[in-house]
Amino acid sequence: MSEPFIFIGTYTLREGKLQDFKQQWLELLEMVEAKEPRLIAFNAYVNEDGTELTGVQVHPDADSMLFHMQVARDHISEAYQSTLEKARRIDVYGTPSDAVLETVRQLAGSGVPLSVKARHLGGVTRSSAA
């Protein structure tokens, strides 16, 4: 297996919009489950007071991430318009293509810190754990 491609995005939720986001998230999960069989992991976490959200994605490669952004673009744009106030930070682990970086920057907006750690030193990736 090649090195995984990991995307971690942290966002500020609009005040009082956590419940609306949860509904959007369920719809997005349904779509991802149906249309993205290569995606290894796709999870969201929120802080205690419901003001900050972090999404964690694990893909088999950067092409899978690009495909995800194409498939989910409308959902992502809708979230930015209705429930997400702004992107706070984007972290990428693995080698992104220029298309992935361009799309991430477009969706996140200007001025969002973007950290890329492309040099993979090795590791273990399991598709399922016992």
Side-chain angles (χ1 to χ4, degrees):
M1 178 181 227
S2 64
E3 69 183 53
F5 185 87
I6 301 167
F7 174 91
I8 301 173
T10 300
Y11 310 88
T12 301
L13 284 163
R14 293 183 191 275
E15 188 174 338
K17 293 296 185 177
L18 178 58
Q19 291 306 316
D20 292 342
F21 178 81
K22 285 180 181 179
Q23 182 58 44
Q24 288 176 331
W25 181 251
L26 291 175
E27 293 167 9
L28 181 57
L29 286 177
E30 188 175 304
M31 186 199 64
V32 164
E33 186 72 27
K35 295 183 178 182
E36 297 187 61
R38 296 185 66 223
L39 185 59
I40 297 167
F42 189 64
N43 295 279
Y45 302 86
V46 67
N47 66 352
E48 198 62 38
D49 63 4
T51 59
E52 187 175 270
L53 164 84
T54 298
V56 179
Q57 301 175 34
V58 180
H59 296 266
D61 51 43
D63 287 342
S64 174
M65 178 65 184
L66 182 60
F67 181 73
H68 167 73
M69 290 186 295
Q70 292 166 344
V71 167
R73 186 177 201 100
D74 289 344
H75 284 272
I76 296 166
S77 295
E78 169 60 26
Y80 272 119
Q81 292 174 13
S82 61
T83 58
L84 299 177
E85 187 172 316
K86 65 179 180 175
R88 296 179 57 87
R89 178 176 179 79
I90 304 291
D91 294 297
V92 171
Y93 302 88
T95 306
S97 65
D98 290 341
V100 167
L101 286 177
E102 181 181 328
T103 305
V104 165
R105 286 187 178 115
Q106 285 175 359
L107 291 171
S110 63
V112 176
L114 171 63
S115 170
V116 177
K117 293 181 178 68
R119 191 169 163 212
H120 185 243
L121 298 179
V124 174
T125 302
R126 293 189 173 112
S127 61
S128 63

